[in-house]
Amino acid sequence: MFATIFKRELMLVYRRRSEWVHPLAFFVIVVSLFPLGLTPGPQTLKLIAPGIIWVSALLASLLSLEHLFRSDYEDGALEQFVLLPYPLAAVGLAKVLAHWCVTGLSLCIASPMLGIALNLPSDSLKVLMLSLLLGTFSLSLIGAIGAALTVGLGRGGVLIALLILPLYVPVLIFGAGAVDLSAHGLDASGQLYFLAALLILALTLAPFAIAAAIKVSLE
Amino acid sequence: MWNWFHRLASPRDFFRIAGYWIPWLGSLALLLIIAGLYLGLFVAPPDYQQGESYRIIFIHVPSAWMSLFVYIVMAISGAIGLIWRIKLAHVMSICSAPIGASFTFLALATGSLWGKPMWGAWWVWDARLTSELLLLFLYLGVIALYHAFEERRTAERAAAVLAIVGAVNIPIIHYSVEWWNTLHQGPTVSKLDAPSIDANMLIPLLLMSLAFMIFYKALLLFRARYEILHRQQRSQWVTQYIKTL
């Protein structure tokens, strides 16, 4: 069942190409706006690069979340998911996983290019990718709670940001922290372990919150 | 005892009992605030290092404590409302949110007033300040989500889910910003066996905390009464009550 839903979601996301192309383009454009706004030298750029890339990835992931449950809500598929003799939390997890496989991974793959553009040392590009790999999945899981809560509202856009951004802070701190440490030539494994721990926590708790939120929205 | 408990959960009886309690709680809070402020501002000795300006802690620390306490109350009563479907629990949860947000704002504002002479800056990106700021954002999120829905039942349940998710996140946020950056002075009161604070300062501080706690309860009952009147406006006892006014 999990695999069926996962495949369905993957196919849907792939067919609605704008859903993952737009956040990716947003990510690249926002990152490239910062050097234009700050006109920094290569040293300053290296200092602020981890923060810029991480904040942009966070906003891009937020942007992509709005559509996570919207179309299923509109065509009634979400109600059918609730009626399935299968835990709603698992359905939610399958949807988030499929969504992340397309949006989160594409951010992750694009990130080294942006790292190079922002003058990050080549050693820390690996850490950047790894931190985004672990971090964006947590972001998707946490953000899905907000998306599920606001799916019944016509205008979720700004509200979902208000709900979710404070909850994103730990992931941002450890993600940008890991890249920052590695950019200074230090060992970033501690921060990466924290990211992994946050991911596991989100993976265990968030599906239940998503399920509760979907049920509230469908009442 | 359960019978009494059930009666308290009915809006009508709650309305009556709360109306009886509010004047008592309110005047007790006022007395304690006057006593605490007098002891804090006139009796307590000036700090050997911070001089007179430390006295803002008599407002700052209680409001910071209350900001966390109110969030916990909001999340727990939201959970009670979700699980046992008690309407009154949702009323408590929703009515707590603006009060908690105000306490959080008060803690931030007084902290920034104190920070200017002490640290030389209105705001620093210190761990405690940041987690307090994020707490304010969480409160604002709950309030905004509640008001975004037309249907009240959906609104209160959605706000309760968000409050619970936030409550799980608060310790994580707190510790992550703690490790990220810290400048704020360590706690001086929580070391209960030997607090590193003079008794003349500790007593007004505790008085003020008690006063804030009782003030919160009075305010919560006050808001909850209005919310109940608003929600039950079509029921007969409200019409009768309005006529007697």
Side-chain angles (χ1 to χ4, degrees):
Chain A
M1 196 56 163
F2 190 87
T4 320
I5 297 170
F6 178 72
K7 265 185 224 153
R8 168 189 181 267
E9 292 300 321
L10 213 55
M11 198 180 289
L12 280 177
V13 180
Y14 184 70
R15 286 195 182 150
R16 284 192 302 253
R17 207 154 296 165
S18 68
E19 228 171 80
W20 60 276
V21 173
H22 287 181
L24 184 62
F26 176 85
F27 177 54
V28 175
I29 290 171
V30 169
V31 169
S32 50
L33 281 181
F34 275 97
L36 300 176
L38 297 164
T39 48
Q43 276 310 311
T44 348
L45 213 51
K46 190 174 119 182
L47 278 178
I48 56 176
I52 291 174
I53 295 179
W54 253 94
V55 171
S56 311
L58 193 142
L59 293 177
S61 126
L62 191 72
L63 191 70
S64 68
L65 278 168
E66 226 197 308
H67 307 283
L68 183 54
F69 297 109
R70 180 57 46 82
S71 57
D72 277 352
Y73 177 78
E74 277 165 0
D75 64 14
L78 208 56
E79 275 167 17
Q80 302 303 317
F81 281 135
V82 176
L83 294 175
L84 278 182
Y86 187 71
L88 187 58
V91 177
L93 183 61
K95 278 184 74 77
V96 176
L97 187 66
H99 181 260
W100 172 79
C101 278
V102 182
T103 56
L105 277 183
S106 62
L107 294 184
C108 217
I109 292 165
S111 64
M113 187 183 74
L114 296 168
I116 293 169
L118 292 183
N119 204 27
L120 275 182
S122 51
D123 293 338
S124 60
L125 294 179
K126 200 172 61 192
V127 176
L128 176 66
M129 280 186 84
L130 201 57
S131 71
L132 279 174
L133 195 70
L134 294 166
T136 49
F137 195 19
S138 309
L139 295 184
S140 293
L141 282 163
I142 300 168
I145 303 171
L149 280 175
T150 53
V151 70
L153 300 165
R155 58 220 186 285
V158 184
L159 184 63
I160 190 173
L162 184 60
L163 305 185
I164 289 307
L165 284 179
L167 306 177
Y168 273 1
V169 167
V171 181
L172 172 68
I173 286 175
F174 289 117
V179 183
D180 195 46
L181 281 181
S182 73
H184 288 90
L186 298 167
D187 179 31
S189 53
Q191 310 272 339
L192 290 175
Y193 282 130
F194 267 118
L195 275 181
L198 286 177
L199 174 58
I200 287 169
L201 191 69
L203 209 51
T204 33
L205 294 182
F208 297 103
I210 294 169
I214 291 175
K215 279 183 188 153
V216 167
S217 283
L218 285 179
E219 258 176 25
Chain B
M1 190 223 162
W2 281 110
N3 201 11
W4 179 80
F5 215 67
H6 277 293
R7 275 187 47 199
L8 198 60
S10 102
R12 186 181 172 178
D13 286 308
F14 173 83
F15 185 82
R16 196 173 48 77
I17 296 167
Y20 178 75
W21 274 94
I22 287 170
W24 291 101
L25 288 174
S27 21
L28 187 60
L30 190 68
L31 277 177
L32 283 171
I33 285 179
I34 292 170
L37 281 183
Y38 173 74
L39 287 177
L41 297 184
F42 299 105
V43 178
D47 189 70
Y48 81 103
Q49 205 177 8
Q50 304 181 357
E52 301 289 348
S53 53
Y54 88 95
R55 290 184 197 276
I56 205 163
I57 63 158
F58 298 121
I59 304 288
H60 173 72
V61 173
S63 33
W65 283 343
M66 286 312 292
S67 68
L68 280 173
F69 178 77
V70 175
Y71 197 95
I72 295 166
V73 171
M74 182 174 80
I76 291 177
S77 48
I80 292 173
L82 273 185
I83 296 166
W84 289 290
R85 314 226 161 186
I86 299 174
K87 280 182 202 148
L88 199 60
H90 280 306
V91 172
M92 288 299 184
S93 179
I94 292 306
C95 291
S96 288
I99 308 176
S102 316
F103 276 127
T104 317
F105 181 75
L106 191 62
L108 283 169
T110 51
S112 120
L113 286 175
W114 177 86
K116 185 61 184 166
M118 288 302 131
W119 296 335
W122 294 108
W123 182 261
V124 286
W125 287 97
D126 159 76
R128 286 195 180 197
L129 278 76
T130 314
S131 38
E132 195 72 8
L133 183 67
L134 291 169
L135 186 67
L136 181 64
F137 292 158
L138 286 175
Y139 273 122
L140 294 182
V142 172
I143 297 170
L145 186 64
Y146 178 70
H147 289 290
F149 286 95
E150 305 259 318
E151 183 69 34
R152 189 189 300 126
R153 235 177 80 78
T154 319
E156 60 190 16
R157 292 168 66 79
V161 170
L162 186 67
I164 297 165
V165 171
V168 173
N169 256 276
I170 281 175
I172 305 173
I173 292 175
H174 180 78
Y175 283 107
S176 59
V177 290
E178 190 112 312
W179 288 320
W180 164 64
N181 203 350
T182 203
L183 179 71
H184 197 286
Q185 64 186 61
T188 35
V189 181
S190 52
K191 296 176 280 180
L192 268 184
D193 41 327
S196 51
I197 177 170
D198 189 84
N200 278 330
M201 297 178 187
L202 185 64
I203 289 166
L205 185 60
L206 293 180
L207 273 182
M208 286 302 281
S209 311
L210 193 63
F212 271 45
M213 182 72 92
I214 296 170
F215 174 64
Y216 159 63
K217 282 180 182 140
L219 206 58
L220 177 64
L221 292 183
F222 203 72
R223 291 188 71 99
R225 278 187 96 207
Y226 277 97
E227 183 72 28
I228 285 170
L229 270 193
H230 184 63
R231 288 180 179 208
Q232 308 253 315
Q233 51 186 316
R234 306 214 182 284
S235 68
Q236 209 165 13
W237 70 269
V238 174
T239 333
Q240 276 171 0
Y241 173 76
I242 302 283
K243 273 185 195 146
T244 61
L245 284 179

